[in-house]
Amino acid sequence: MVIWQDLVVSIANFLFVISLINQVWYGYRRKKALISKATSVPTFIALYGMCIAFFTLSLFLSSAMIFLTATLWLILFIQSLMYKEVEAKK
């Protein structure tokens, strides 16, 4: 049975996933790191921690959605390593 808090957190994270998929795709197509390492590293680490915390609270749907969000942030970090340049301010 899904409790309402699990559903609310899952829906919010689903919206984050949709946004981040667009960001990952945009960076991939342009072969540019658009998110800095200083942003992506703490974000994906914190999200994986939250994933574990929600899982231990039996909020499995939330945990799965946060796992997807964290993984997309990890991909953004990997892009920053691969493309080695963050768009400079001009």
Side-chain angles (χ1 to χ4, degrees):
M1 181 165 110
V2 177
I3 60 173
W4 73 269
Q5 293 94 335
D6 196 18
L7 193 59
V8 169
V9 171
S10 298
I11 291 170
N13 272 282
F14 177 74
L15 297 174
F16 290 143
V17 167
I18 298 300
S19 300
L20 287 170
I21 287 172
N22 289 327
Q23 185 67 40
V24 168
W25 182 250
Y26 184 82
Y28 171 75
R29 283 188 22 222
R30 292 185 174 46
K31 303 296 188 236
K32 290 185 179 178
L34 302 170
I35 304 287
S36 71
K37 291 177 193 79
T39 300
S40 58
V41 171
T43 303
F44 82 76
I45 290 171
L47 285 169
Y48 281 128
M50 288 174 57
C51 174
I52 293 167
F54 280 115
F55 188 83
T56 62
L57 293 170
S58 299
L59 299 173
F60 302 120
L61 190 56
S62 295
S63 183
M65 291 307 296
I66 291 173
F67 180 83
L68 289 175
T69 306
T71 302
L72 288 168
W73 275 101
L74 177 60
I75 291 169
L76 289 170
F77 169 68
I78 292 168
Q79 283 182 342
S80 74
L81 295 176
M82 289 174 56
Y83 304 140
K84 294 195 173 75
E85 79 178 55
V86 174
E87 194 69 27
K89 292 182 181 178
K90 297 181 182 181

Coordinates of all heavy atoms in Angstrom, one line a residue:
M1 N 0.8 -1.2 0.0 CA 0.0 0.0 0.0 C 0.9 1.2 0.0 O 1.8 1.3 0.7 CB -0.9 0.0 1.2 CG -1.8 1.2 1.3 SD -3.1 0.9 2.5 CE -2.7 2.1 3.7
V2 N 0.5 2.2 -0.8 CA 1.3 3.4 -1.0 C 0.6 4.5 -0.1 O -0.5 4.8 -0.2 CB 1.4 3.9 -2.4 CG1 2.1 5.2 -2.5 CG2 2.0 2.9 -3.3
I3 N 1.4 5.1 0.8 CA 0.9 6.1 1.7 C 1.0 7.5 0.9 O 1.8 7.6 0.0 CB 1.6 6.2 3.0 CG1 3.1 6.5 2.9 CG2 1.3 4.9 3.8 CD1 3.7 6.7 4.2
W4 N 0.2 8.4 1.3 CA 0.2 9.7 0.5 C 1.5 10.4 0.5 O 1.8 11.0 -0.5 CB -1.0 10.6 1.0 CG -0.7 11.2 2.4 CD1 -1.1 10.8 3.6 CD2 -0.1 12.5 2.6 NE1 -0.7 11.6 4.6 CE2 -0.1 12.7 4.0 CE3 0.5 13.5 1.7 CZ2 0.5 13.9 4.5 CZ3 1.0 14.6 2.3 CH2 1.0 14.8 3.7
Q5 N 2.3 10.4 1.5 CA 3.6 11.0 1.5 C 4.5 10.4 0.5 O 5.3 11.1 -0.2 CB 4.3 10.9 2.9 CG 3.6 11.7 4.0 CD 2.6 10.9 4.8 OE1 2.1 9.9 4.3 NE2 2.3 11.4 6.0
D6 N 4.5 9.1 0.3 CA 5.3 8.4 -0.7 C 4.9 8.9 -2.1 O 5.7 9.1 -2.9 CB 5.1 6.9 -0.5 CG 6.1 6.1 -1.2 OD1 7.2 6.6 -1.6 OD2 5.9 4.9 -1.4
L7 N 3.6 9.0 -2.3 CA 3.1 9.4 -3.6 C 3.5 10.9 -3.9 O 3.9 11.2 -5.0 CB 1.6 9.3 -3.6 CG 0.9 9.4 -4.9 CD1 1.4 8.4 -5.9 CD2 -0.6 9.3 -4.8
V8 N 3.4 11.8 -2.9 CA 3.8 13.2 -3.1 C 5.2 13.3 -3.4 O 5.6 14.0 -4.4 CB 3.4 14.0 -1.9 CG1 4.0 15.4 -2.0 CG2 1.9 14.1 -1.7
V9 N 6.1 12.7 -2.7 CA 7.5 12.7 -2.9 C 7.9 12.1 -4.3 O 8.7 12.6 -5.0 CB 8.3 12.0 -1.8 CG1 9.8 11.9 -2.1 CG2 8.1 12.8 -0.4
S10 N 7.2 11.1 -4.6 CA 7.4 10.4 -5.9 C 7.1 11.3 -7.1 O 7.8 11.4 -8.1 CB 6.7 9.1 -6.0 OG 7.1 8.2 -5.0
I11 N 5.9 11.9 -7.0 CA 5.5 12.8 -8.1 C 6.5 14.0 -8.2 O 6.8 14.4 -9.3 CB 4.0 13.3 -7.8 CG1 3.1 12.1 -8.0 CG2 3.7 14.5 -8.8 CD1 1.7 12.4 -7.5
A12 N 6.9 14.6 -7.1 CA 7.8 15.7 -7.2 C 9.1 15.2 -7.8 O 9.7 15.9 -8.7 CB 8.1 16.2 -5.8
N13 N 9.6 14.1 -7.4 CA 10.9 13.6 -8.0 C 10.7 13.2 -9.5 O 11.6 13.3 -10.2 CB 11.4 12.4 -7.2 CG 12.3 12.9 -6.1 OD1 13.4 13.3 -6.3 ND2 11.7 13.0 -4.9
F14 N 9.5 12.7 -9.8 CA 9.2 12.4 -11.3 C 9.4 13.7 -12.1 O 10.0 13.7 -13.2 CB 7.8 11.9 -11.4 CG 7.5 11.6 -12.9 CD1 8.0 10.5 -13.5 CD2 6.6 12.5 -13.6 CE1 7.7 10.3 -14.9 CE2 6.3 12.2 -14.9 CZ 6.8 11.1 -15.5
L15 N 9.0 14.8 -11.6 CA 9.1 16.1 -12.3 C 10.6 16.5 -12.4 O 11.1 17.0 -13.4 CB 8.4 17.2 -11.6 CG 6.8 17.1 -11.6 CD1 6.2 18.1 -10.7 CD2 6.3 17.1 -13.0
F16 N 11.4 16.2 -11.3 CA 12.9 16.4 -11.4 C 13.5 15.5 -12.4 O 14.4 16.0 -13.2 CB 13.5 16.1 -10.0 CG 13.2 17.1 -8.9 CD1 13.0 16.7 -7.6 CD2 13.1 18.5 -9.2 CE1 12.7 17.6 -6.6 CE2 12.8 19.4 -8.2 CZ 12.6 18.9 -6.9
V17 N 13.0 14.3 -12.5 CA 13.6 13.3 -13.5 C 13.4 13.9 -14.9 O 14.3 13.9 -15.7 CB 13.0 11.9 -13.3 CG1 13.3 11.0 -14.5 CG2 13.5 11.3 -12.0
I18 N 12.2 14.3 -15.2 CA 11.8 14.9 -16.5 C 12.8 16.0 -16.8 O 13.3 16.1 -17.9 CB 10.3 15.3 -16.6 CG1 9.4 14.1 -16.4 CG2 10.0 16.0 -17.9 CD1 9.6 13.0 -17.4
S19 N 12.9 17.0 -15.9 CA 13.8 18.1 -16.1 C 15.2 17.7 -16.3 O 15.9 18.2 -17.2 CB 13.7 19.0 -14.9 OG 12.4 19.5 -14.7
L20 N 15.7 16.8 -15.5 CA 17.1 16.3 -15.6 C 17.4 15.5 -16.9 O 18.5 15.6 -17.5 CB 17.5 15.5 -14.4 CG 17.7 16.4 -13.1 CD1 17.8 15.5 -11.9 CD2 18.9 17.3 -13.3
I21 N 16.4 14.8 -17.4 CA 16.6 14.1 -18.7 C 16.9 15.1 -19.8 O 17.8 14.9 -20.6 CB 15.4 13.2 -19.0 CG1 15.4 12.0 -18.1 CG2 15.4 12.7 -20.4 CD1 14.1 11.1 -18.2
N22 N 16.1 16.2 -19.8 CA 16.4 17.2 -20.8 C 17.8 17.8 -20.6 O 18.4 18.1 -21.6 CB 15.3 18.3 -20.7 CG 13.9 17.8 -21.1 OD1 13.8 17.0 -22.0 ND2 12.9 18.3 -20.5
Q23 N 18.2 18.0 -19.4 CA 19.5 18.6 -19.2 C 20.6 17.7 -19.6 O 21.6 18.1 -20.2 CB 19.7 19.0 -17.7 CG 21.0 19.7 -17.4 CD 21.1 21.0 -18.0 OE1 20.1 21.8 -18.0 NE2 22.2 21.4 -18.5
V24 N 20.5 16.4 -19.3 CA 21.5 15.4 -19.7 C 21.6 15.3 -21.2 O 22.6 15.3 -21.8 CB 21.2 14.0 -19.1 CG1 22.0 12.9 -19.7 CG2 21.4 14.0 -17.6
W25 N 20.4 15.3 -21.9 CA 20.4 15.2 -23.3 C 21.0 16.4 -24.0 O 21.7 16.3 -24.9 CB 18.9 15.0 -23.8 CG 18.8 14.8 -25.3 CD1 18.3 15.7 -26.2 CD2 19.3 13.7 -26.1 NE1 18.4 15.2 -27.4 CE2 19.0 14.0 -27.4 CE3 19.9 12.5 -25.7 CZ2 19.3 13.1 -28.4 CZ3 20.2 11.6 -26.8 CH2 19.9 12.0 -28.1
Y26 N 20.7 17.6 -23.4 CA 21.2 18.8 -24.0 C 22.7 18.9 -23.9 O 23.4 19.2 -24.8 CB 20.6 20.0 -23.2 CG 21.0 21.4 -23.7 CD1 20.3 21.9 -24.8 CD2 22.0 22.1 -23.1 CE1 20.7 23.2 -25.3 CE2 22.3 23.4 -23.6 CZ 21.7 23.9 -24.6 OH 22.0 25.1 -25.1
G27 N 23.3 18.5 -22.7 CA 24.7 18.4 -22.6 C 25.4 17.4 -23.5 O 26.4 17.6 -24.1
Y28 N 24.7 16.2 -23.7 CA 25.2 15.2 -24.6 C 25.3 15.7 -26.0 O 26.2 15.5 -26.7 CB 24.3 14.0 -24.5 CG 24.7 12.9 -25.5 CD1 25.8 12.1 -25.4 CD2 23.8 12.7 -26.6 CE1 26.1 11.2 -26.3 CE2 24.1 11.8 -27.5 CZ 25.3 11.0 -27.4 OH 25.5 10.1 -28.4
R29 N 24.2 16.3 -26.5 CA 24.1 16.8 -27.8 C 25.2 17.9 -28.1 O 25.7 17.9 -29.2 CB 22.7 17.3 -28.2 CG 21.7 16.2 -28.4 CD 20.4 16.7 -28.9 NE 20.4 18.0 -29.6 CZ 19.5 18.9 -29.4 NH1 18.5 18.7 -28.6 NH2 19.5 20.0 -30.1
R30 N 25.4 18.7 -27.2 CA 26.4 19.8 -27.4 C 27.8 19.5 -26.9 O 28.7 20.2 -27.1 CB 25.9 21.1 -26.6 CG 24.7 21.6 -27.4 CD 24.1 22.8 -26.9 NE 23.0 23.3 -27.7 CZ 22.0 22.7 -28.1 NH1 21.8 21.4 -27.9 NH2 21.0 23.3 -28.8
K31 N 28.0 18.3 -26.3 CA 29.3 17.8 -25.8 C 29.9 18.9 -24.9 O 31.1 19.2 -25.0 CB 30.2 17.5 -26.9 CG 29.7 16.4 -27.9 CD 29.5 15.1 -27.2 CE 29.1 14.0 -28.2 NZ 27.9 13.3 -27.9
K32 N 29.1 19.4 -24.0 CA 29.6 20.4 -23.1 C 29.1 20.1 -21.7 O 27.9 19.7 -21.5 CB 29.1 21.8 -23.4 CG 29.7 22.4 -24.7 CD 29.3 23.8 -24.9 CE 30.0 24.3 -26.2 NZ 29.6 25.7 -26.5
A33 N 29.9 20.4 -20.7 CA 29.5 20.2 -19.3 C 28.8 21.5 -18.9 O 29.4 22.6 -18.9 CB 30.7 19.9 -18.4
L34 N 27.5 21.4 -18.6 CA 26.7 22.6 -18.3 C 26.5 22.8 -16.8 O 26.0 23.8 -16.4 CB 25.4 22.6 -19.1 CG 25.6 22.5 -20.6 CD1 24.3 22.2 -21.3 CD2 26.2 23.7 -21.2
I35 N 26.8 21.7 -16.0 CA 26.6 21.8 -14.6 C 28.0 21.5 -14.0 O 28.7 20.6 -14.4 CB 25.7 20.7 -14.1 CG1 24.3 20.7 -14.8 CG2 25.5 20.7 -12.6 CD1 23.4 21.9 -14.4
S36 N 28.4 22.4 -13.0 CA 29.7 22.2 -12.4 C 29.8 21.0 -11.5 O 28.8 20.5 -11.0 CB 30.1 23.5 -11.6 OG 29.3 23.6 -10.5
K37 N 31.0 20.6 -11.3 CA 31.3 19.4 -10.4 C 30.9 19.8 -8.9 O 30.4 19.0 -8.2 CB 32.7 19.0 -10.4 CG 33.2 18.4 -11.7 CD 34.7 18.1 -11.7 CE 35.2 17.8 -13.1 NZ 35.4 19.0 -13.9
A38 N 31.1 21.1 -8.6 CA 30.8 21.5 -7.2 C 29.3 21.5 -7.0 O 28.8 21.5 -5.8 CB 31.3 23.0 -7.0
T39 N 28.5 21.5 -8.0 CA 27.0 21.3 -7.9 C 26.6 19.9 -7.9 O 25.8 19.4 -7.1 CB 26.3 22.1 -9.0 OG1 26.7 23.5 -8.8 CG2 24.8 22.0 -8.9
S40 N 27.1 19.1 -8.9 CA 26.6 17.8 -9.2 C 27.1 16.8 -8.1 O 26.3 15.9 -7.7 CB 27.1 17.3 -10.6 OG 28.5 17.4 -10.7
V41 N 28.3 16.9 -7.6 CA 28.8 15.9 -6.7 C 28.0 15.9 -5.4 O 27.5 14.8 -5.0 CB 30.3 16.0 -6.4 CG1 30.8 15.2 -5.3 CG2 31.1 15.7 -7.7
P42 N 27.9 17.0 -4.7 CA 27.1 16.9 -3.4 C 25.7 16.6 -3.6 O 25.0 15.9 -2.8 CB 27.3 18.3 -2.8 CG 28.0 19.2 -3.7 CD 28.5 18.3 -4.9
T43 N 25.1 17.0 -4.8 CA 23.7 16.7 -5.1 C 23.5 15.2 -5.2 O 22.6 14.6 -4.6 CB 23.2 17.4 -6.3 OG1 23.4 18.8 -6.1 CG2 21.8 17.2 -6.6
F44 N 24.3 14.5 -6.0 CA 24.1 13.1 -6.2 C 24.4 12.3 -5.0 O 23.7 11.3 -4.6 CB 24.7 12.5 -7.5 CG 26.2 12.1 -7.4 CD1 26.6 11.0 -6.8 CD2 27.1 12.9 -8.1 CE1 27.9 10.6 -6.8 CE2 28.5 12.6 -8.0 CZ 28.9 11.4 -7.4
I45 N 25.4 12.7 -4.2 CA 25.7 12.0 -2.9 C 24.6 12.1 -1.9 O 24.1 11.2 -1.3 CB 27.0 12.5 -2.3 CG1 28.2 12.1 -3.2 CG2 27.2 12.0 -0.9 CD1 29.5 12.7 -2.8
A46 N 24.1 13.4 -1.8 CA 22.9 13.6 -0.9 C 21.7 12.8 -1.3 O 21.0 12.3 -0.5 CB 22.6 15.1 -0.8
L47 N 21.4 12.8 -2.6 CA 20.2 12.1 -3.1 C 20.3 10.6 -2.9 O 19.3 10.0 -2.5 CB 20.0 12.4 -4.6 CG 19.4 13.8 -4.8 CD1 19.5 14.2 -6.3 CD2 18.0 13.9 -4.3
Y48 N 21.5 10.0 -3.1 CA 21.7 8.6 -2.8 C 21.5 8.3 -1.3 O 20.9 7.3 -0.9 CB 23.0 8.1 -3.3 CG 23.1 7.8 -4.7 CD1 24.1 8.3 -5.5 CD2 22.1 7.0 -5.4 CE1 24.2 8.0 -6.9 CE2 22.2 6.7 -6.7 CZ 23.2 7.2 -7.5 OH 23.3 7.0 -8.8
G49 N 21.9 9.2 -0.4 CA 21.7 9.1 1.0 C 20.2 9.2 1.3 O 19.7 8.4 2.1
M50 N 19.5 10.1 0.7 CA 18.0 10.2 0.9 C 17.3 8.9 0.4 O 16.4 8.5 1.0 CB 17.5 11.4 0.1 CG 17.9 12.7 0.8 SD 17.3 14.2 -0.2 CE 15.6 13.9 -0.3
C51 N 17.8 8.4 -0.7 CA 17.3 7.1 -1.3 C 17.3 6.0 -0.2 O 16.3 5.3 0.0 CB 18.0 6.8 -2.5 SG 17.6 5.2 -3.3
I52 N 18.5 5.9 0.4 CA 18.6 4.9 1.4 C 17.7 5.2 2.6 O 17.0 4.3 3.1 CB 20.1 4.8 1.9 CG1 20.9 4.3 0.8 CG2 20.2 3.9 3.2 CD1 22.4 4.4 1.0
A53 N 17.6 6.4 3.0 CA 16.7 6.8 4.2 C 15.3 6.5 3.9 O 14.6 5.9 4.7 CB 16.9 8.3 4.5
F54 N 14.8 6.9 2.7 CA 13.4 6.6 2.3 C 13.1 5.1 2.2 O 12.1 4.6 2.6 CB 13.0 7.3 1.0 CG 12.7 8.7 1.2 CD1 13.5 9.7 0.6 CD2 11.6 9.1 1.9 CE1 13.2 11.1 0.7 CE2 11.3 10.5 2.0 CZ 12.1 11.4 1.5
F55 N 14.1 4.3 1.7 CA 14.0 2.9 1.6 C 13.8 2.3 3.0 O 12.9 1.4 3.2 CB 15.2 2.3 0.9 CG 15.0 0.8 0.6 CD1 14.3 0.4 -0.5 CD2 15.5 -0.1 1.4 CE1 14.1 -0.9 -0.8 CE2 15.4 -1.5 1.1 CZ 14.7 -1.9 0.0
T56 N 14.6 2.8 4.0 CA 14.5 2.2 5.3 C 13.2 2.6 6.0 O 12.8 2.0 7.0 CB 15.7 2.7 6.2 OG1 15.6 4.1 6.4 CG2 17.0 2.2 5.7
L57 N 12.5 3.6 5.5 CA 11.2 4.0 6.0 C 10.0 3.3 5.3 O 8.9 3.7 5.5 CB 11.0 5.5 5.9 CG 11.9 6.4 6.8 CD1 11.8 7.9 6.4 CD2 11.6 6.2 8.3
S58 N 10.4 2.4 4.4 CA 9.4 1.7 3.6 C 8.7 2.6 2.6 O 7.6 2.3 2.2 CB 8.4 0.9 4.4 OG 9.1 0.0 5.2
L59 N 9.3 3.6 2.2 CA 8.8 4.5 1.1 C 9.5 4.1 -0.2 O 10.3 4.8 -0.7 CB 9.0 6.0 1.5 CG 8.4 6.5 2.8 CD1 8.8 7.9 3.1 CD2 6.9 6.4 2.7
F60 N 9.1 3.0 -0.7 CA 9.8 2.3 -1.8 C 9.6 3.1 -3.1 O 10.6 3.2 -3.9 CB 9.3 0.9 -1.9 CG 9.6 0.1 -0.7 CD1 8.5 -0.5 0.0 CD2 10.8 -0.1 -0.2 CE1 8.7 -1.3 1.1 CE2 11.1 -0.8 1.0 CZ 10.0 -1.4 1.6
L61 N 8.5 3.6 -3.4 CA 8.3 4.4 -4.6 C 9.1 5.7 -4.6 O 9.8 6.0 -5.6 CB 6.8 4.7 -4.8 CG 6.3 5.3 -6.1 CD1 6.7 4.4 -7.2 CD2 4.8 5.5 -6.1
S62 N 9.1 6.4 -3.5 CA 10.0 7.5 -3.3 C 11.4 7.2 -3.5 O 12.2 7.9 -4.1 CB 9.7 8.2 -1.9 OG 8.4 8.7 -1.8
S63 N 11.8 6.1 -2.8 CA 13.2 5.7 -2.9 C 13.6 5.4 -4.4 O 14.7 5.8 -4.8 CB 13.4 4.4 -2.1 OG 14.7 4.0 -2.1
A64 N 12.8 4.8 -5.1 CA 13.1 4.4 -6.5 C 13.2 5.7 -7.4 O 14.1 5.9 -8.2 CB 12.0 3.5 -7.1
M65 N 12.3 6.7 -7.1 CA 12.3 7.9 -7.9 C 13.5 8.7 -7.5 O 14.2 9.4 -8.4 CB 11.0 8.7 -7.7 CG 9.8 8.1 -8.3 SD 10.0 7.7 -10.1 CE 10.2 9.3 -10.8
I66 N 13.9 8.8 -6.3 CA 15.1 9.5 -5.8 C 16.3 8.8 -6.4 O 17.3 9.5 -6.8 CB 15.1 9.6 -4.3 CG1 14.0 10.6 -3.8 CG2 16.5 10.2 -3.8 CD1 13.8 10.7 -2.3
F67 N 16.3 7.5 -6.5 CA 17.4 6.8 -7.1 C 17.6 7.3 -8.5 O 18.7 7.5 -9.0 CB 17.2 5.3 -7.0 CG 18.3 4.5 -7.6 CD1 19.5 4.2 -6.9 CD2 18.3 4.0 -8.9 CE1 20.5 3.5 -7.5 CE2 19.3 3.3 -9.5 CZ 20.4 3.1 -8.8
L68 N 16.5 7.4 -9.3 CA 16.6 7.8 -10.7 C 17.1 9.3 -10.7 O 18.0 9.6 -11.6 CB 15.2 7.8 -11.3 CG 14.7 6.4 -11.7 CD1 13.3 6.5 -12.2 CD2 15.6 5.7 -12.7
T69 N 16.7 10.1 -9.9 CA 17.1 11.5 -9.8 C 18.6 11.6 -9.5 O 19.4 12.3 -10.2 CB 16.3 12.3 -8.8 OG1 14.9 12.2 -9.0 CG2 16.7 13.8 -8.8
A70 N 19.0 10.8 -8.5 CA 20.5 10.8 -8.1 C 21.3 10.3 -9.3 O 22.4 10.8 -9.6 CB 20.7 9.9 -6.9
T71 N 20.8 9.3 -10.0 CA 21.6 8.7 -11.1 C 21.7 9.7 -12.3 O 22.8 9.8 -12.9 CB 20.9 7.4 -11.6 OG1 20.9 6.5 -10.5 CG2 21.7 6.8 -12.7
L72 N 20.7 10.5 -12.5 CA 20.8 11.6 -13.5 C 21.8 12.6 -13.1 O 22.6 13.1 -13.9 CB 19.4 12.2 -13.8 CG 18.5 11.2 -14.6 CD1 17.1 11.8 -14.6 CD2 19.0 11.0 -16.0
W73 N 21.9 13.0 -11.8 CA 22.9 13.9 -11.4 C 24.3 13.3 -11.5 O 25.2 14.0 -11.8 CB 22.6 14.3 -9.9 CG 21.7 15.5 -9.8 CD1 20.3 15.4 -9.5 CD2 22.0 16.8 -10.1 NE1 19.8 16.7 -9.5 CE2 20.8 17.6 -9.9 CE3 23.1 17.5 -10.4 CZ2 20.7 19.0 -10.1 CZ3 23.0 18.9 -10.6 CH2 21.9 19.6 -10.4
L74 N 24.4 12.0 -11.3 CA 25.7 11.3 -11.5 C 26.1 11.4 -12.9 O 27.2 11.6 -13.2 CB 25.6 9.9 -11.0 CG 26.8 9.0 -11.2 CD1 28.0 9.6 -10.4 CD2 26.5 7.6 -10.8
I75 N 25.1 11.2 -13.8 CA 25.4 11.3 -15.3 C 25.9 12.7 -15.6 O 26.8 12.9 -16.4 CB 24.2 10.9 -16.1 CG1 24.0 9.4 -16.0 CG2 24.4 11.3 -17.6 CD1 22.6 8.9 -16.5
L76 N 25.3 13.7 -15.0 CA 25.7 15.1 -15.2 C 27.2 15.3 -14.7 O 28.0 16.0 -15.4 CB 24.8 16.1 -14.6 CG 23.4 16.3 -15.2 CD1 22.5 17.1 -14.3 CD2 23.5 16.9 -16.6
F77 N 27.5 14.7 -13.6 CA 28.9 14.7 -13.1 C 29.8 14.1 -14.1 O 30.9 14.6 -14.4 CB 29.0 14.1 -11.7 CG 30.4 13.9 -11.3 CD1 31.2 14.9 -11.0 CD2 30.9 12.6 -11.2 CE1 32.5 14.7 -10.5 CE2 32.2 12.4 -10.7 CZ 33.0 13.4 -10.4
I78 N 29.4 12.9 -14.6 CA 30.3 12.2 -15.6 C 30.5 13.0 -16.8 O 31.6 13.0 -17.4 CB 29.7 10.8 -15.9 CG1 29.8 9.9 -14.6 CG2 30.4 10.1 -17.0 CD1 29.0 8.6 -14.7
Q79 N 29.4 13.7 -17.3 CA 29.5 14.6 -18.4 C 30.6 15.7 -18.1 O 31.4 16.0 -19.0 CB 28.2 15.2 -18.8 CG 27.3 14.3 -19.5 CD 26.0 15.0 -19.9 OE1 25.6 16.1 -19.3 NE2 25.2 14.4 -20.8
S80 N 30.6 16.2 -16.9 CA 31.5 17.2 -16.6 C 33.0 16.7 -16.6 O 33.9 17.4 -17.0 CB 31.2 17.9 -15.2 OG 31.6 17.0 -14.2
L81 N 33.2 15.4 -16.3 CA 34.5 14.8 -16.4 C 34.9 14.6 -17.9 O 36.0 14.8 -18.3 CB 34.6 13.5 -15.7 CG 34.4 13.6 -14.2 CD1 34.4 12.2 -13.6 CD2 35.5 14.4 -13.5
M82 N 33.9 14.1 -18.7 CA 34.1 13.7 -20.1 C 34.4 15.0 -20.9 O 35.3 15.0 -21.8 CB 33.0 12.9 -20.6 CG 32.9 11.5 -20.1 SD 31.4 10.7 -20.6 CE 31.6 10.8 -22.4
Y83 N 33.6 16.0 -20.8 CA 33.6 17.1 -21.7 C 34.6 18.2 -21.2 O 35.0 19.1 -21.9 CB 32.2 17.7 -21.9 CG 31.3 16.7 -22.4 CD1 30.0 16.6 -22.0 CD2 31.7 15.7 -23.4 CE1 29.1 15.6 -22.5 CE2 30.8 14.7 -23.8 CZ 29.5 14.7 -23.4 OH 28.6 13.8 -23.9
K84 N 35.0 18.1 -19.9 CA 36.0 19.0 -19.3 C 35.9 20.4 -19.5 O 36.9 21.1 -19.4 CB 37.4 18.5 -19.7 CG 37.7 17.1 -19.2 CD 39.2 16.8 -19.4 CE 39.6 15.6 -18.8 NZ 39.5 14.3 -19.0
E85 N 34.8 21.0 -19.7 CA 34.6 22.4 -19.7 C 33.2 22.8 -19.3 O 32.2 22.2 -19.8 CB 35.0 23.0 -21.1 CG 33.9 22.8 -22.1 CD 34.3 23.5 -23.5 OE1 35.4 23.1 -24.0 OE2 33.5 24.3 -23.9
V86 N 33.1 23.7 -18.5 CA 31.9 24.3 -18.1 C 31.7 25.6 -18.9 O 32.7 26.3 -19.0 CB 31.8 24.5 -16.6 CG1 30.5 25.3 -16.2 CG2 31.9 23.2 -15.8
E87 N 30.6 25.8 -19.4 CA 30.4 27.0 -20.2 C 30.8 28.2 -19.4 O 30.4 28.5 -18.4 CB 28.9 27.1 -20.5 CG 28.5 28.1 -21.6 CD 29.0 27.6 -23.0 OE1 29.1 26.4 -23.2 OE2 29.2 28.5 -23.8
A88 N 31.8 28.9 -20.0 CA 32.4 30.1 -19.4 C 31.5 31.3 -19.6 O 30.9 31.4 -20.6 CB 33.8 30.4 -19.9
K89 N 31.5 32.2 -18.6 CA 30.7 33.4 -18.7 C 31.5 34.3 -19.7 O 32.7 34.5 -19.5 CB 30.5 34.1 -17.4 CG 29.6 33.3 -16.5 CD 29.4 34.0 -15.2 CE 28.5 33.3 -14.3 NZ 28.3 33.9 -13.0
K90 N 30.8 34.9 -20.6 CA 31.4 35.8 -21.5 C 31.1 37.3 -21.3 O 30.2 37.6 -20.8 CB 31.1 35.4 -23.0 CG 31.5 34.0 -23.3 CD 31.2 33.7 -24.7 CE 31.7 32.2 -24.9 NZ 31.4 31.8 -26.2

